[in-house]
Amino acid sequence: MENGSSTTSKKWGFKGNEALTKASANSIRTVLMNIMSKIDPQDPRPTIPLGHGDPSAFPCFRTTPVAEDAICDAVRSAKFNGYALQVGIPPARRAIAEYLSKDLPYKLSADDVYVTLGCAQAIEVILTVLSRPNANILLPRPGFFLYDIRAAYTQLEVRHFDLLPEKGWEVDLDAVEALADENTAAIVIINPGNPCGNVFTHEHLKKVAETARKLGILVISDEVYDHLTFGSNPFVPMGVFGSIAPVITVGSISKRWIVPGWRLGWLVTNDPNGILEEYGIVDCIKGCVNISTDPPTFIQGAVPDILEKTKDDHFSKIVNILREVADICYSKIKEIPQITLPSKPEGSMFVMVKLNLSLLENIEDDIDFCAQLAKEESVVFLPGVIVGLKNWLRITFAVDPESLEDGLGRVKAFCERHAKKQ
């Protein structure tokens, strides 16, 4: 051994963070990478990615030239090459406030807006802010994995309430009241729904706000899929009910503009009564973002033009494509008895379907189903257990129509091969 030293006898004072390693093992990206590793490299067919919500790879989902030009103009202006304020540059904060205020009964100010590195950082910030000793948070089941992982990492206790598939995935408000106690800080809702593809009604959202007020908790409303609706229920922002209970809205340009790689999001306080400031939440948010990273300054510099100059025809095009592929998804899945779709998707880019294991042979559970499907058909689904429902599947339909029809056709063939003999 060099210098006569032995690496086996020397003890070092560092070691990996086991909690972080454990948490990342359950992330969507890690699970999907494991499933994709099962794909047969000899299969000449293209892989159909129906497990991850990133439609930007498909030409039919390309973003608007307005957004692309805004980025180029911001870079070429040389005005956005320096550090930004940690809360976000003022023009971006004002533009986001004006954009969100269009759907509210009151006006947001720039001071209500904190520009974040995608919606993911907004989630991390608010969970960190709420993670005082003994605090707990109410999360939906099924839900978005990042809330569970970040809550665990910040030692914020998680309590799950069910979304009810037989009621269009509404919140089980009775369960929410039963779960909450004096240490409950907040309830999380995701609208439009990931992973369920549901859209909450105005009436139901008001009941959520009234329940939050009764319990003395705030509402964290994840609206990253805002306005991506194509069913009977229009999108209603939770901030509409900010006068009933304080609301923290998290969102981004990732989905509506089809640019998840640009990593531009926001955390917004919807609180006309000033409760969040009174209880120190506003100061804590400022403190948290002051010791966090921030999105690139030139992306922030492009935000005003992106939000103000994008034409309605871009949004209509995206919604029309989503409506088309959601219809394809619904009709094709209805042809497969081994998986059940509780309701037709009305928003976002996802749907949850239930596995009928009693109709399948040699399939142990949802993880096994996804692994074997990838190996035999080069189609990728996300096991439902990752989002909170064992033996369910999360499917994204935000791909081009031809790929979706091809992929679900392969799923049908797979299920027919594995169908239990009568």
Side-chain angles (χ1 to χ4, degrees):
M1 190 64 65
E2 188 177 348
N3 297 328
S5 63
S6 171
T7 58
T8 57
S9 60
K10 173 65 179 176
K11 291 190 179 295
W12 300 91
F14 50 81
K15 189 177 181 181
N17 185 326
E18 294 180 1
L20 181 59
T21 302
K22 182 179 179 181
S24 65
N26 294 320
S27 74
I28 288 176
R29 291 181 182 179
T30 301
V31 172
L32 288 177
M33 285 177 61
N34 289 338
I35 290 171
M36 291 184 72
S37 71
K38 309 296 183 185
I39 293 173
D40 182 357
Q42 302 303 315
D43 189 342
R45 300 172 297 177
T47 297
I48 308 295
L50 303 180
H52 190 49
D54 183 1
S56 63
F58 300 93
C60 63
F61 281 104
R62 182 165 178 171
T63 193
T64 171
V66 169
E68 297 169 342
D69 292 344
I71 294 291
C72 294
D73 290 346
V75 171
R76 290 174 179 147
S77 74
K79 295 178 181 178
F80 306 105
N81 294 335
Y83 293 118
L85 295 172
Q86 291 299 105
V87 293
I89 65 173
R93 299 177 79 193
R94 285 195 298 269
I96 294 168
E98 290 171 7
Y99 166 71
L100 296 176
S101 293
K102 294 176 183 178
D103 298 318
L104 298 174
Y106 52 89
K107 289 290 185 182
L108 295 167
S109 75
D111 290 340
D112 297 319
V113 177
Y114 304 85
V115 187
T116 58
L117 193 62
C119 188
Q121 190 196 16
I123 294 169
E124 293 170 8
V125 167
I126 189 57
L127 294 191
T128 301
V129 165
L130 297 176
S131 59
R132 56 180 172 77
N134 301 316
N136 65 74
I137 189 170
L138 309 181
L139 300 183
R141 181 173 52 214
F144 183 50
F145 80 103
L146 187 59
Y147 287 97
D148 291 86
I149 290 176
R150 292 304 308 187
Y153 193 58
T154 58
Q155 298 184 334
L156 182 61
E157 181 191 345
V158 167
R159 299 179 180 181
H160 290 103
F161 60 88
D162 289 329
L163 302 180
L164 305 173
E166 68 277 11
K167 293 186 176 181
W169 299 104
E170 286 188 347
V171 174
D172 185 344
L173 293 173
D174 290 336
V176 167
E177 291 200 34
L179 287 168
D181 63 16
E182 68 277 5
N183 291 317
T184 303
I187 179 175
V188 171
I189 63 167
I190 304 173
N191 183 47
N194 174 12
C196 302
N198 60 299
V199 180
F200 292 134
T201 64
H202 184 283
E203 179 185 13
H204 187 63
L205 290 171
K206 185 177 181 182
K207 289 179 180 178
V208 171
E210 290 169 344
T211 301
R213 181 180 180 85
K214 178 180 178 180
L215 299 173
I217 63 178
L218 64 86
V219 181
I220 300 170
S221 187
D222 187 325
E223 298 175 5
V224 74
Y225 293 95
D226 67 329
H227 294 285
L228 294 182
T229 62
F230 35 83
S232 57
N233 295 330
F235 168 68
V236 177
M238 191 68 203
V240 167
F241 309 101
S243 60
I244 298 176
V247 174
I248 297 288
T249 300
V250 296
S252 76
I253 63 171
S254 296
K255 308 302 183 181
R256 201 178 185 201
W257 276 266
I258 319 295
V259 288
W262 291 9
R263 312 311 300 143
L264 192 289
W266 50 76
L267 182 156
V268 177
T269 56
N270 299 267
D271 183 28
N273 299 321
I275 297 169
L276 297 176
E277 186 164 7
E278 179 183 349
Y279 280 76
I281 297 297
V282 171
D283 285 342
C284 202
I285 291 171
K286 291 176 183 177
C288 189
V289 297
N290 278 337
I291 57 172
S292 302
T293 188
D294 50 299
T297 311
F298 73 90
I299 301 285
Q300 296 188 52
V303 165
D305 279 354
I306 292 173
L307 297 185
E308 295 164 11
K309 295 183 178 181
T310 299
K311 305 297 184 185
D312 287 342
D313 59 356
H314 163 73
F315 301 129
S316 298
K317 183 193 81 167
I318 297 302
V319 168
N320 287 337
I321 296 171
L322 287 173
R323 181 183 293 110
E324 177 186 358
V325 289
D327 287 344
I328 292 171
C329 185
Y330 180 75
S331 62
K332 292 296 181 182
I333 288 175
K334 296 290 278 186
E335 298 174 1
I336 307 172
Q338 291 83 4
I339 53 179
T340 301
L341 180 58
S343 56
K344 190 174 183 179
E346 294 195 335
S348 80
M349 301 176 178
F350 301 100
V351 70
M352 288 293 288
V353 300
K354 188 175 183 178
L355 265 180
N356 299 322
L357 290 175
S358 63
L359 300 180
L360 291 164
E361 284 188 341
N362 302 317
I363 302 290
E364 294 181 7
D365 55 24
D366 53 326
I367 294 177
D368 187 35
F369 180 96
C370 292
Q372 292 197 48
L373 177 66
K375 181 178 180 180
E376 296 182 26
E377 297 291 349
S378 298
V379 175
V380 179
F381 283 175
L382 182 73
V385 69
I386 305 304
V387 295
L389 285 186
K390 185 175 176 61
N391 294 329
W392 287 65
L393 307 166
R394 190 190 78 166
I395 303 172
T396 179
F397 45 81
V399 300
D400 67 78
E402 295 78 12
S403 295
L404 184 61
E405 293 207 38
D406 182 11
L408 293 177
R410 297 187 208 175
V411 174
K412 183 178 181 181
F414 172 84
C415 288
E416 288 173 347
R417 280 199 310 276
H418 289 268
K420 184 165 289 186
K421 305 299 185 290
Q422 300 298 324

